[in-house]
Amino acid sequence: MVDIVLKLTKDEIEVGATPVTVGDSILFRVFAPSTSKIYTLDADDNPIGSMTIPGGFVEIMEKRKTDKVKAEPPVLCTPVAYK
Protein backbone atom coordinates (compact mmCIF):
# COMPACT_ATOMS: atom_id res chain seq x y z
CA MET A 1 0.00 0.00 0.00
CA VAL A 2 1.30 3.45 -0.89
CA ASP A 3 0.75 6.30 1.51
CA ILE A 4 -0.19 9.70 0.14
CA VAL A 5 2.67 12.17 0.39
CA LEU A 6 1.67 15.76 1.06
CA LYS A 7 3.78 18.76 0.15
CA LEU A 8 3.39 21.72 2.50
CA THR A 9 2.86 24.90 0.48
CA LYS A 10 2.40 27.49 3.26
CA ASP A 11 2.33 27.72 7.05
CA GLU A 12 -0.42 26.27 9.22
CA ILE A 13 -3.03 28.80 10.38
CA GLU A 14 -5.87 28.76 12.87
CA VAL A 15 -9.26 29.04 11.19
CA GLY A 16 -12.17 30.18 13.30
CA ALA A 17 -15.39 32.17 12.82
CA THR A 18 -13.90 34.63 10.30
CA PRO A 19 -13.93 33.10 6.76
CA VAL A 20 -10.48 32.84 5.12
CA THR A 21 -9.14 31.37 1.86
CA VAL A 22 -6.45 29.35 3.69
CA GLY A 23 -3.70 31.02 1.68
CA ASP A 24 -5.67 30.79 -1.59
CA SER A 25 -5.11 27.03 -1.48
CA ILE A 26 -7.07 24.40 -3.38
CA LEU A 27 -6.10 21.50 -1.10
CA PHE A 28 -5.65 21.89 2.62
CA ARG A 29 -5.16 19.68 5.65
CA VAL A 30 -7.50 20.24 8.59
CA PHE A 31 -6.70 19.18 12.17
CA ALA A 32 -9.57 19.49 14.65
CA PRO A 33 -8.23 19.61 18.23
CA SER A 34 -11.83 19.20 19.43
CA THR A 35 -15.01 18.25 17.57
CA SER A 36 -15.59 21.10 15.11
CA LYS A 37 -17.99 22.03 12.37
CA ILE A 38 -16.21 23.31 9.27
CA TYR A 39 -17.95 25.36 6.60
CA THR A 40 -17.00 26.23 3.03
CA LEU A 41 -18.26 29.44 1.47
CA ASP A 42 -17.88 30.96 -1.98
CA ALA A 43 -16.00 34.21 -2.61
CA ASP A 44 -19.15 36.18 -1.71
CA ASP A 45 -19.58 34.29 1.60
CA ASN A 46 -22.53 32.22 0.35
CA PRO A 47 -22.63 28.76 1.97
CA ILE A 48 -21.41 25.80 -0.10
CA GLY A 49 -21.37 23.03 2.49
CA SER A 50 -20.40 21.93 5.98
CA MET A 51 -19.29 18.87 7.93
CA THR A 52 -18.36 17.88 11.45
CA ILE A 53 -14.83 16.67 12.17
CA PRO A 54 -14.38 14.66 15.39
CA GLY A 55 -11.78 15.92 17.87
CA GLY A 56 -8.27 14.66 17.15
CA PHE A 57 -9.01 13.82 13.51
CA VAL A 58 -7.35 15.05 10.31
CA GLU A 59 -9.08 15.56 6.96
CA ILE A 60 -7.78 16.64 3.56
CA MET A 61 -10.23 19.02 1.89
CA GLU A 62 -10.50 20.58 -1.54
CA LYS A 63 -12.06 23.89 -2.55
CA ARG A 64 -11.77 26.51 -5.27
CA LYS A 65 -8.90 28.94 -4.82
CA THR A 66 -11.28 31.83 -3.98
CA ASP A 67 -13.60 29.81 -1.72
CA LYS A 68 -13.37 30.45 2.00
CA VAL A 69 -13.41 28.26 5.11
CA LYS A 70 -14.57 28.90 8.67
CA ALA A 71 -14.87 26.61 11.69
CA GLU A 72 -16.53 26.53 15.11
CA PRO A 73 -14.62 25.93 17.35
CA PRO A 74 -11.36 26.79 15.54
CA VAL A 75 -9.31 24.21 13.63
CA LEU A 76 -5.75 24.25 12.26
CA CYS A 77 -5.41 24.33 8.47
CA THR A 78 -2.33 23.85 6.31
CA PRO A 79 -2.27 24.45 2.53
CA VAL A 80 -0.92 21.32 0.83
CA ALA A 81 -0.36 19.66 -2.54
CA TYR A 82 0.12 16.02 -3.49
CA LYS A 83 3.69 14.99 -4.21
Side-chain angles (χ1 to χ4, degrees), residues 59-76:
E59 296 287 345
I60 303 297
M61 297 183 68
E62 181 179 11
K63 65 175 189 56
R64 290 180 210 94
K65 201 172 191 175
T66 57
D67 289 347
K68 300 174 187 174
V69 176
K70 69 177 185 175
E72 298 168 1
V75 296
L76 298 172

Side-chain angles (χ1 to χ4, degrees), residues 10-64:
K10 293 189 179 173
D11 289 336
E12 179 178 74
I13 62 168
E14 183 176 85
V15 174
T18 303
V20 295
T21 64
V22 189
D24 296 331
S25 64
I26 294 172
L27 288 175
F28 59 102
R29 176 188 182 271
V30 180
F31 171 67
S34 59
T35 299
S36 297
K37 189 145 189 180
I38 188 163
Y39 303 84
T40 54
L41 307 108
D42 67 18
D44 297 319
D45 291 338
N46 297 308
I48 295 172
S50 66
M51 71 178 194
T52 299
I53 301 175
F57 277 71
V58 171
E59 296 287 345
I60 303 297
M61 297 183 68
E62 181 179 11
K63 65 175 189 56
R64 290 180 210 94

